[in-house]
Amino acid sequence: MKVEALPSVGVGRGVSSSPSIIMSQTKSFSSTKPNLLSKYQSKAIHNSVAVSATDRVEGRDEGSTANASADRSHCSRDGAADSITVSSKASSISSSKSKGSIKQRIKNTIGRKKVHENKDVREESPPVSSIQIAVDVKVEQKKQQQGRKKKKPKQDIIISPEAIQLENEEVHQQQLAAQLQQDNFQLRSSNSSPWTGRVVGLRLPSSVDPAFDEKCKPNGRRVDPSLFLGDKDKKCGSTGWNPWEEEGSDSQRSCLDDRHKNYFSFHHSDYDYYENDDKCQVSIDVHLFNKKDGISMKIHMARDPSEGLDKTLQRLKISMEKKLSKKKKKKKGKQQVTSINPIVWRKRERQHAVKEETSYFEDLADIIPINLCNPFSEGGVTHDDASVPAESCSEYEKVDDVNSFSIEELLKKANKDDFGKYAISVPIEISQSETMHVPLMVDPCPPTITSVATFGSFDHTRLFENTPLVVEVCLLFAKKAKIVWFADGEKVCHDNQCYTPTKSDVGKLLTVVVTPMRPGHDGKGCEEAYQFKRRVDALPPMPILSPLRDEFLVHRDKLQEDKQPLRVVSYNILADQNASRDVNRDADDMIYSHCKLDDIIKWRRHPLIVHEILQYQGDIVCLQEVDRDVFDGLLQPCLKAHGYQGYYSEKGLDDASGIREGCAIFWSLDVFESVRLPDMKTHTFREMFQDFMCDERLHKTEWTTLHDVSKLLEEHDHLKHVLFNKLGHVLQTVVLTDKRSKEKIVVANTHLFYHPHAAHVKCLKMLIACRQLEIEHIENELSPIIFCGDYNSTPDSGVMQLLLNRFVDSGDEETWKHLCTYEWEEGAGGDLKHVSSIDVEYPPSFPQLISAYDKAPDFTHFIECFAATLDYILASSNFEVVRSASTLSFDDMKEHVAMPNEFMASDHISLVADLSFGDL
């Protein structure tokens, strides 16, 4: 039997379908229901003949019938929510007396056709097979039969409240579904967008720069974190996760369950939202991803928190159109604002959501990739249709009152709910005739990395085996950061901000992957990765360490019960501020002309210094000539990671002085208790002079020498001016408490004036320093003293005579030689012939000091034009020196010319001594 296709309207949701598609659907149906289809075929022929006969009765040919069908198609698209074709309706209605005959329905449709012809509305739809008509007719008849079966004689029936509630819920579900179909949900546009993404909204406190991502991170060394994450991590929402892999697979279902647990269990109350910061700003980062091309894109916006949400969305749309639109730019002053506005969508409550059964994805959060913070993600998309599925759309409803609240209020609303609560649909006009809708998930205040830093910023620092590296991060809306280290892609350290490369890492590239985390949110999707530019180098030979000091390199167990000697280290590490001056000097003016510039830069020298310090395993470490950035970026984080606490004191009168170096003290927390910040004291010499020279304190002190100093300064105005106003040197003092014995120790550290004609200045400064030490010695129950530093004075100088012999005679030529001739500035001294020198001595109340080096080293400072011992470790006499580390000799320096050099990182030698702690 031959079946002919009749003209008909489109099938299915108002979208026209071709005959080939419909026939293929029918064939598929016939393969599963052969007997039923044969009945439908015969019925379809009968209906076809009936329709043709009706047309002949009315005097119309096949052409007019086709036109009538076309007009019926138009009516179907406009008014039929369920998209059932008019042809099938006409056939099904013929079986219902209440609806009239087929002839009458055709007359009505032809009448509507005339109306449309007057409006010049012409639409054509492809023909539909009679078999398909028959199938539709049968379905409609079956529905009507079921409806008739439900009709029963009226009788009094008692319906339970539960049944009424259940029926109301079903009706509500049907109403919601119809409403969604009528609205034609924009996230499911007919022009499916290849772009998707998320809007990361941050409520930034006033202390955070909105441009932190560009200013506070070494983006030049940023790499793709997905290259280093395991398969499990990638699939659970982190960088590289492909949300469009085969639906329903076990791996995908598992990873989505994990991600829901991580995201949906966290709420606003678990971290600080900076509610009381009135100067907060809103930072918006739109992370876009093209699922077809694997292209990532980022748009950054900083907005006023009080700005209306509608204005923010319009600004967002304009920014996205600039990035994504293919339209030609219009001339200034003639820009047109499109009438299609972005829409905010909110997830419905679960009890009101429309039930869907055909999709595994439960909501929009399962469609938007969580890895869009990663600018390197290629996505790996293999699914051809990754747009938001129709089944998901029923989970969301349009937010109509966007004009009534601000962008900050939207973030608050979204932040107090589960991830995926809010979404935004942004219409983008990609050409004059095309508009695509880009779905964006709103991600409020996720764990955020605001800065990443390491010494040398991943570009410059030299990496050596057995030399620690530390990466420091600042976080927002997070409690901690997990930092994982990789060497040539192989994990070498799981979770530590500090890593010490081993011998097996030599020649490899190191990478860190940083994951910000907080309770309930494991940071998946927020990871960032950074790679060091230089490979790990082998450690150069260091003659100061081995074999010279092998006995001090043996591992020390600081926690053992038996008392051990207290190990003290003092080291002038050569400030880069001083060493780098050679870079711009002529060869004749260079202080370190013997040293290659590559060996003198701080990126190489200071990591080697850290290595040396840690090798000694000291309990107290006193450093001089410490650059502020070296302390902050290298010394403090590295030593803190190895169990030390410490602080830094900068020299200089003020910021205008240009001095950016000072002193630092560290102590082991395995041996000593932690110290409060107020107890880490810094005393400037000019303040101590002004304080101790006042009349009130002079009359109360036993330091009679201070009376003589006061008289000297009254006669010597220039010396007073230098001591009170010109010198920015500092004295550090801290009182440490032994964890086991609870004994206290006063530890001091300083760096004195360097000028060779200022011996009298240094002697007077040391007198004032010791006066301050006595005060702290008495205030802490006569606690013993350890005093380290670069005194810039030789063993036979007046300074060392005062410290060890407690007295300097007024006739000491080396001390007072330049008392009347030294000038801070030429011509500033004046006529000082009447000024005479004085005796300087300590009172009996000040404890006796001893040197850790009974015999002074040949030198502690060695440059081409000068070599001498200037550095010291002193202690009160109730300490006993157990041993002191050997120092280099002049013979050892013959092959190296001077310091620093390739194997010696400073122009000073470190001092190390073990002091007995038992008799205190």
Side-chain angles (χ1 to χ4, degrees):
M1 179 183 300
K2 183 177 180 181
V3 181
E4 296 181 355
L6 294 178
S8 178
V9 296
V11 181
R13 295 191 177 182
V15 180
S16 300
S17 303
S18 64
S20 60
I21 295 176
I22 297 174
M23 289 301 295
S24 65
Q25 295 173 349
T26 307
K27 289 178 182 179
S28 174
F29 186 87
S30 64
S31 63
T32 56
K33 303 287 184 180
N35 297 331
L36 183 61
L37 185 59
S38 61
K39 293 191 296 182
Y40 288 167
Q41 289 173 342
S42 60
K43 185 67 176 178
I45 295 172
H46 172 76
N47 290 336
S48 176
V49 172
V51 172
S52 300
T54 303
D55 288 335
R56 286 194 295 272
V57 170
E58 294 297 325
R60 298 177 179 86
D61 55 12
E62 292 181 359
S64 62
T65 304
N67 291 335
S69 298
D71 288 310
R72 288 193 296 271
S73 173
H74 177 78
C75 296
S76 175
R77 283 190 295 270
D78 287 343
D82 55 2
S83 301
I84 302 176
T85 61
V86 174
S87 300
S88 57
K89 281 186 178 181
S91 300
S92 62
I93 293 172
S94 64
S95 61
S96 176
K97 295 180 181 180
S98 62
K99 296 296 181 179
S101 64
I102 294 177
K103 179 177 178 180
Q104 184 62 37
R105 296 291 290 171
I106 294 176
K107 283 184 178 181
N108 295 339
T109 305
I110 294 174
R112 287 194 297 271
K113 168 180 176 296
K114 293 180 181 180
V115 174
H116 285 295
E117 285 177 350
N118 293 335
K119 296 182 180 180
D120 293 329
V121 177
R122 308 215 187 282
E123 295 187 13
E124 294 185 3
S125 299
V128 179
S129 70
S130 58
I131 296 177
Q132 178 66 24
I133 295 174
V135 174
D136 291 343
V137 169
K138 186 65 179 178
V139 172
E140 185 67 22
Q141 290 176 346
K142 193 171 183 179
K143 289 182 179 179
Q144 294 177 359
Q145 291 174 2
Q146 291 176 351
R148 287 195 297 269
K149 288 179 181 180
K150 291 181 181 179
K151 294 181 180 180
K152 294 182 180 180
K154 294 183 179 180
Q155 55 182 342
D156 296 334
I157 300 176
I158 299 175
I159 302 176
S160 65
E162 292 79 6
I164 295 175
Q165 181 179 0
L166 179 62
E167 183 177 359
N168 290 338
E169 289 182 357
E170 292 178 353
V171 171
H172 183 63
Q173 294 284 346
Q174 294 173 1
Q175 291 175 347
L176 289 177
Q179 179 182 352
L180 289 173
Q181 289 178 348
Q182 183 176 1
D183 290 345
N184 191 19
F185 192 67
Q186 280 199 19
L187 288 176
R188 180 165 39 90
S189 171
S190 59
N191 187 1
S192 180
S193 168
W195 292 93
T196 185
R198 67 171 175 165
V199 178
V200 178
L202 300 176
R203 190 176 189 270
L204 298 180
S206 55
S207 58
V208 177
D209 189 334
F212 63 83
D213 213 37
E214 292 75 25
K215 295 181 180 180
C216 304
K217 298 179 183 179
N219 289 311
R221 302 307 306 162
R222 194 167 176 178
V223 296
D224 184 356
S226 68
L227 301 175
F228 305 93
L229 296 173
D231 292 338
K232 181 179 179 181
D233 292 331
K234 290 181 183 179
K235 290 181 179 179
C236 291
S238 62
T239 305
W241 174 61
N242 174 17
W244 299 295
E245 62 185 22
E246 184 178 356
E247 295 183 15
S249 64
D250 293 337
S251 61
Q252 184 190 34
R253 189 176 297 274
S254 173
C255 80
L256 288 175
D257 291 343
D258 289 341
R259 187 165 62 82
H260 281 193
K261 176 180 67 177
N262 294 332
Y263 273 92
F264 293 173
S265 62
F266 178 77
H267 292 282
H268 159 73
S269 59
D270 289 317
Y271 66 91
D272 188 4
Y273 193 63
Y274 306 99
E275 292 280 5
N276 298 324
D277 193 337
D278 296 333
K279 297 181 180 180
C280 277
Q281 304 178 67
V282 170
S283 172
I284 299 175
D285 286 322
V286 182
H287 299 275
L288 298 170
F289 178 73
N290 189 309
K291 55 182 177 281
K292 292 183 178 179
D293 302 329
I295 301 174
S296 295
M297 189 180 298
K298 177 182 174 182
I299 299 174
H300 174 75
M301 299 168 55
R303 313 304 297 174
D304 186 334
S306 61
E307 181 180 66
L309 181 58
D310 54 340
K311 293 184 179 179
T312 303
L313 294 179
Q314 284 296 333
R315 182 69 256 179
L316 172 62
K317 176 183 176 181
I318 293 172
S319 299
M320 290 178 61
E321 283 184 337
K322 289 180 180 179
K323 294 282 188 179
L324 306 180
S325 179
K326 299 178 183 177
K327 298 188 300 180
K328 295 182 179 179
K329 292 185 178 180
K330 298 181 180 180
K331 294 182 179 180
K332 193 172 183 180
K334 296 184 178 181
Q335 295 182 350
Q336 291 182 335
V337 180
T338 56
S339 58
I340 308 177
N341 296 321
I343 296 179
V344 179
W345 303 92
R346 177 176 52 226
K347 184 183 289 186
R348 299 178 185 275
E349 298 297 332
R350 290 294 179 181
Q351 61 269 27
H352 299 306
V354 179
K355 297 180 180 179
E356 301 290 346
E357 301 178 354
T358 58
S359 174
Y360 168 71
F361 296 107
E362 294 181 355
D363 50 50
L364 189 59
D366 295 325
I367 307 302
I368 305 301
I370 303 303
N371 62 318
L372 292 173
C373 281
N374 174 19
F376 307 95
S377 175
E378 296 180 358
V381 180
T382 57
H383 201 293
D384 292 333
D385 185 14
S387 59
V388 180
E391 293 81 7
S392 307
C393 299
S394 59
E395 296 287 334
Y396 287 81
E397 61 183 351
K398 186 188 301 183
V399 178
D400 295 325
D401 56 341
V402 293
N403 297 330
S404 63
F405 53 89
S406 65
I407 178 61
E408 181 184 27
E409 291 172 330
L410 174 64
L411 293 181
K412 285 185 178 180
K413 291 175 182 290
N415 188 60
K416 293 182 179 180
D417 290 293
D418 295 336
F419 176 76
K421 181 69 176 181
Y422 286 84
I424 298 174
S425 172
V426 182
I428 304 297
E429 296 184 47
I430 56 178
S431 66
Q432 294 292 344
S433 59
E434 293 181 278
T435 299
M436 67 178 178
H437 296 275
V438 180
L440 303 173
M441 179 64 65
V442 177
D443 191 1
C445 304
T448 303
I449 303 170
T450 58
S451 71
V452 179
T454 189
F455 185 64
S457 190
F458 292 88
D459 285 297
H460 309 297
T461 191
R462 303 296 176 85
L463 282 59
F464 295 101
E465 60 173 311
N466 298 324
T467 303
L469 297 165
V470 175
V471 171
E472 292 190 295
V473 299
C474 292
L475 304 174
L476 192 65
F477 309 116
K479 294 296 184 182
K480 63 162 290 185
K482 182 175 73 174
I483 301 178
V484 183
W485 296 75
F486 296 85
D488 276 1
E490 180 181 355
K491 184 188 293 185
V492 291
C493 182
H494 174 63
D495 185 10
N496 201 322
Q497 73 170 141
C498 179
Y499 175 64
T500 302
T502 63
K503 189 174 183 179
S504 62
D505 295 327
V506 173
K508 296 181 179 179
L509 283 174
L510 296 185
T511 306
V512 293
V513 177
V514 184
T515 306
M517 307 171 73
R518 68 190 178 206
H521 195 316
D522 62 4
K524 287 183 171 64
C526 303
E527 304 94 338
E528 296 179 11
Y530 299 88
Q531 190 171 80
F532 289 88
K533 182 177 182 179
R534 295 180 179 272
R535 297 180 180 272
V536 179
D537 291 330
L539 194 70
M542 301 181 70
I544 190 64
L545 285 177
S546 182
L548 189 65
R549 295 177 170 178
D550 282 342
E551 60 180 330
F552 282 85
L553 308 182
V554 178
H555 175 69
R556 301 176 68 221
D557 186 2
K558 299 180 182 180
L559 300 178
Q560 68 180 19
E561 295 183 2
D562 297 337
K563 291 184 179 180
Q564 295 189 71
L566 191 65
R567 181 164 294 178
V568 182
V569 178
S570 183
Y571 199 176
N572 182 318
I573 63 175
L574 179 56
D576 181 68
Q577 178 171 333
N578 300 328
S580 61
R581 294 172 183 171
D582 271 8
V583 175
N584 298 320
R585 284 177 175 170
D586 296 333
D588 295 337
D589 297 329
M590 287 184 177
I591 300 176
Y592 310 108
S593 58
H594 65 282
C595 186
K596 298 178 182 177
L597 292 180
D598 192 51
D599 294 333
I600 205 172
I601 58 174
K602 63 182 177 181
W603 313 121
R604 184 184 187 276
R605 289 194 309 107
H606 285 99
L608 294 176
I609 287 172
V610 169
H611 169 80
E612 181 183 350
I613 292 171
L614 291 175
Q615 290 298 301
Y616 297 136
Q617 308 162 73
D619 302 313
I620 298 173
V621 179
C622 296
L623 305 176
Q624 305 85 41
E625 284 200 43
V626 180
D627 299 278
R628 163 63 77 177
D629 64 324
V630 172
F631 176 85
D632 291 338
L634 182 65
L635 291 170
Q636 200 272 344
C638 284
L639 269 67
K640 180 181 178 181
H642 284 79
Y644 288 87
Q645 185 183 19
Y647 72 107
Y648 171 81
S649 302
E650 190 168 81
K651 296 191 299 185
L653 298 174
D654 48 43
D655 294 338
S657 65
I659 298 176
R660 294 293 180 269
E661 57 99 350
C663 298
I665 298 180
F666 293 93
W667 53 93
S668 172
L669 293 178
D670 292 334
V671 178
F672 299 106
E673 294 179 356
S674 179
V675 178
R676 298 183 310 118
L677 188 61
D679 297 329
M680 305 176 190
K681 298 179 181 179
T682 300
H683 313 274
T684 65
F685 279 96
R686 65 179 181 276
E687 290 175 349
M688 288 190 292
F689 269 108
Q690 293 170 4
D691 190 22
F692 293 138
M693 292 297 103
C694 69
D695 293 337
E696 183 179 355
R697 299 198 68 171
L698 285 174
H699 291 302
K700 295 180 180 180
T701 182
E702 296 181 4
W703 289 57
T704 57
T705 300
L706 292 180
H707 292 275
D708 298 332
V709 173
S710 177
K711 293 179 181 179
L712 174 63
L713 298 182
E714 288 177 2
E715 297 175 354
H716 200 320
D717 291 338
H718 183 64
L719 178 59
K720 183 177 181 179
H721 175 67
V722 171
L723 293 175
F724 280 45
N725 303 312
K726 289 299 183 181
L727 297 178
H729 299 84
V730 296
L731 171 72
Q732 291 183 298
T733 61
V734 62
V735 178
L736 303 179
T737 303
D738 183 84
K739 280 187 170 181
R740 289 172 294 189
S741 67
K742 302 304 179 181
E743 292 284 351
K744 295 183 178 181
I745 304 174
V746 178
V747 179
N749 181 35
T750 193
H751 185 191
L752 294 184
F753 191 37
Y754 75 94
H755 203 287
H757 294 171
H760 60 292
V761 174
K762 287 180 274 190
C763 187
L764 295 177
K765 292 181 70 173
M766 187 57 74
L767 177 71
I768 291 295
C770 290
R771 175 70 179 101
Q772 179 63 42
L773 287 180
E774 186 201 47
I775 292 174
E776 302 197 23
H777 165 71
I778 295 174
E779 288 178 348
N780 290 279
E781 302 173 355
L782 304 180
S783 299
I785 296 172
I786 294 177
F787 190 11
C788 301
D790 176 359
Y791 303 153
N792 268 314
S793 303
T794 59
D796 59 351
S797 66
V799 170
M800 296 311 299
Q801 291 181 49
L802 179 64
L803 286 169
L804 299 179
N805 301 331
R806 308 173 63 85
F807 178 78
V808 176
D809 188 86
S810 60
D812 187 82
E813 185 177 356
E814 290 299 325
T815 303
W816 306 107
K817 181 178 180 179
H818 301 286
L819 175 62
C820 298
T821 59
Y822 170 74
E823 296 177 330
W824 183 268
E825 298 170 346
E826 187 175 356
D831 183 11
L832 300 173
K833 293 180 181 181
H834 62 284
V835 177
S836 59
S837 59
I838 62 174
D839 294 334
V840 180
E841 64 178 335
Y842 291 149
S845 58
F846 184 75
Q848 177 65 47
L849 299 179
I850 61 173
S851 174
Y853 283 79
D854 185 40
K855 181 183 178 181
D858 290 349
F859 58 87
T860 62
H861 174 56
F862 197 118
I863 57 177
E864 286 189 72
C865 58
F866 180 77
T869 295
L870 306 176
D871 305 273
Y872 301 89
I873 296 176
L874 304 180
S876 53
S877 57
N878 45 5
F879 275 107
E880 179 183 351
V881 179
V882 177
R883 58 181 175 176
S884 54
S886 301
T887 58
L888 295 171
S889 66
F890 286 105
D891 290 337
D892 295 328
M893 290 301 300
K894 287 181 179 179
E895 61 179 302
H896 301 297
V897 182
M899 299 190 300
N901 53 59
E902 181 182 359
F903 311 107
M904 303 171 188
S906 177
D907 57 354
H908 285 251
I909 293 175
S910 60
L911 301 180
V912 186
D914 288 347
L915 307 178
S916 176
F917 200 57
D919 298 333
L920 300 180

